[in-house]
Amino acid sequence: MQLGMIGLGRMGANMVRRLMRDKHECVVFDADANAVNELVADGATGSSSLQQLVANMQSPRAIWLMIPSALVDKVIGELEPLLTIDDIIIDGGNSYYKDDIVRARHLKTKNLHYLDVGTSGGVWGLERGYCMMIGGDAVAVTRLQPVFKTLAPGVGDIDRTEGRSGDAVSSEQGYLHCGPAGAGHYVKMVHNGIEYGLMAAYAEGFNLLRHANVGLDSHEHDAETTPLRDPDQFKYKIDVAEVAEVWRRGSVVASWLLDLTAHALHKNSELDNFSGRVSDSGEGRWTSIAAIESGTPAHVLTAALFSRFSSRAEDEYANKLLSAMRFEFGGHHEKT
């Protein structure tokens, strides 16, 4: 099948490579000409503009956007007058699901299809495949089945869920039509919210393991310091890299995310090549907003998002004010 790909970053380029391995024809464009040239060398048809990309494709077209969410509306606006009836635009990035509803409604008036495809797989997707959560009309989803099947991981060697039988359905292969416009990105949004929570749980747990040795340190005794009640209970020098390794094998908290954590700790258990500043690209915020709007408790997911804000010192002023208040009511001086 022929597919156009706009955006050849870490995921877009490898998605094209995976498609071409399975004999799909890919027409590509990126603002970075070098990214285009690299894929042309691998067998893709390169384009120097959106106009050329559209001209290089046969109608009805399917054009996949793998670009930052802030650029999606701009690119769709430039593509729209170039397309013809029944062409499909796919947004595979991390857009806000509410924007998908608006886009799909507008493009339908132009006789164009729009799919939102939450795509998970990261830099490992070329070999492992991509988990895809799809929103949009069934006609367009059906037409793109060959693309989804190639990009998805497939059934692989994962045991089937107990009770399932017969031919493997699409969810067992790694992709799912979740519902109408916005449903794909809604599911991916919650997926990333859960990801924040899982990452925070691992991070806090391993941090607690590292602090199991605080009883070995000397401790000041003054009015500003809560004393360690019994230092003898915290004299464990725990090798967190080895704990990560043993947890990978038979533990209930084993996961691919733990595999990646073990890999990172094995390379550098002190993690001194990282500053600890954790970004958030939007999905965690949108998950928390959806929880509030739907009246759904999401304590862990929201706390994980706020933890990321703290990692970037967004609470610095609040902490200064706490210190100021302690001084005002008790004359407490900050410890250095």
Side-chain angles (χ1 to χ4, degrees):
M1 181 175 180
Q2 185 185 64
L3 183 80
M5 179 68 77
I6 299 172
L8 306 175
R10 289 171 295 181
M11 288 184 67
N14 279 344
M15 291 169 70
V16 169
R17 292 187 176 99
R18 187 173 175 91
L19 287 165
M20 290 193 298
R21 284 182 182 179
D22 204 28
K23 309 304 180 185
H24 293 278
E25 178 188 351
C26 292
V27 182
V28 301
F29 171 72
D30 191 279
D32 181 358
N34 291 329
V36 175
N37 292 335
E38 287 181 12
L39 285 171
V40 169
D42 290 341
T45 300
S47 308
S48 59
S49 66
L50 296 180
Q51 290 83 353
Q52 187 178 25
L53 178 135
V54 172
N56 283 336
M57 297 187 66
Q58 302 165 0
S59 184
R61 305 170 185 85
I63 300 177
W64 193 302
L65 310 184
M66 211 63 191
I67 58 179
S69 59
L71 300 178
V72 172
D73 283 324
K74 177 179 181 295
V75 172
I76 289 178
E78 295 173 359
L79 275 176
E80 183 186 315
L82 306 174
L83 302 179
T84 54
I85 291 175
D86 277 341
D87 286 352
I88 304 171
I89 296 176
I90 308 108
D91 178 12
N94 286 321
S95 288
Y96 194 18
Y97 78 96
K98 294 183 180 181
D99 294 335
D100 296 316
I101 297 171
V102 175
R103 292 169 189 155
R105 186 178 297 138
H106 169 73
L107 291 172
K108 186 176 181 180
T109 67
K110 307 296 181 180
N111 294 309
L112 300 172
H113 301 277
Y114 176 83
L115 296 181
D116 51 284
V117 181
T119 309
S120 181
V123 297
W124 301 88
L126 175 60
E127 301 303 330
R128 288 173 57 100
Y130 301 88
C131 174
M132 289 168 289
M133 296 139 271
I134 307 160
D137 68 82
V139 172
V141 173
T142 299
R143 194 193 308 171
L144 283 169
Q145 285 291 317
V147 168
F148 296 139
K149 286 182 178 179
T150 292
L151 289 174
V155 175
D157 57 2
I158 298 175
D159 292 338
R160 298 192 78 178
T161 299
E162 186 176 352
R164 285 186 177 268
S165 61
D167 294 338
V169 296
S170 70
S171 59
E172 295 178 277
Q173 299 175 52
Y175 67 100
L176 177 68
H177 183 199
C178 301
H185 277 149
Y186 189 96
V187 175
K188 179 58 161 51
M189 173 188 76
V190 176
H191 165 284
N192 283 25
I194 293 171
E195 180 182 299
Y196 284 23
L198 290 172
M199 292 173 71
Y202 281 128
E204 290 181 11
F206 280 103
N207 194 34
L208 187 57
L209 291 174
R210 276 182 59 83
H211 282 80
N213 65 355
V214 294
L216 298 172
D217 300 332
S218 59
H219 296 273
E220 297 182 40
H221 298 282
D222 56 52
E224 300 301 313
T225 306
T226 301
L228 184 63
R229 187 179 182 90
D230 192 343
D232 286 339
Q233 295 176 355
F234 291 93
K235 291 186 176 181
Y236 305 115
K237 294 182 178 180
I238 296 174
D239 188 330
V240 293
E242 293 306 305
V243 171
E245 192 62 37
V246 74
W247 280 355
R248 292 181 59 214
R249 304 170 192 282
S251 165
V252 72
V253 300
S255 68
W256 183 43
L257 185 55
L258 181 61
D259 294 345
L260 298 176
T261 302
H263 183 247
L265 291 173
H266 179 68
K267 288 190 297 183
N268 182 354
S269 64
E270 294 301 314
L271 302 176
D272 48 23
N273 53 330
F274 294 96
S275 69
R277 185 187 190 280
V278 187
S279 298
D280 70 289
S281 56
E283 301 83 16
R285 300 187 188 204
W286 302 332
T287 301
S288 296
I289 292 169
I292 292 168
E293 291 183 339
S294 64
T296 306
H299 310 286
V300 173
L301 310 190
T302 304
L305 172 66
F306 288 161
S307 176
R308 294 192 176 202
F309 296 164
S310 295
S311 79
R312 306 198 296 266
E314 300 293 352
D315 56 357
E316 182 178 15
Y317 185 80
N319 290 331
K320 287 181 178 180
L321 189 56
L322 287 171
S323 187
M325 286 187 284
R326 290 188 79 244
F327 179 77
E328 289 293 328
F329 67 67
H332 301 283
H333 290 277
E334 292 181 326
K335 293 193 67 174
T336 58

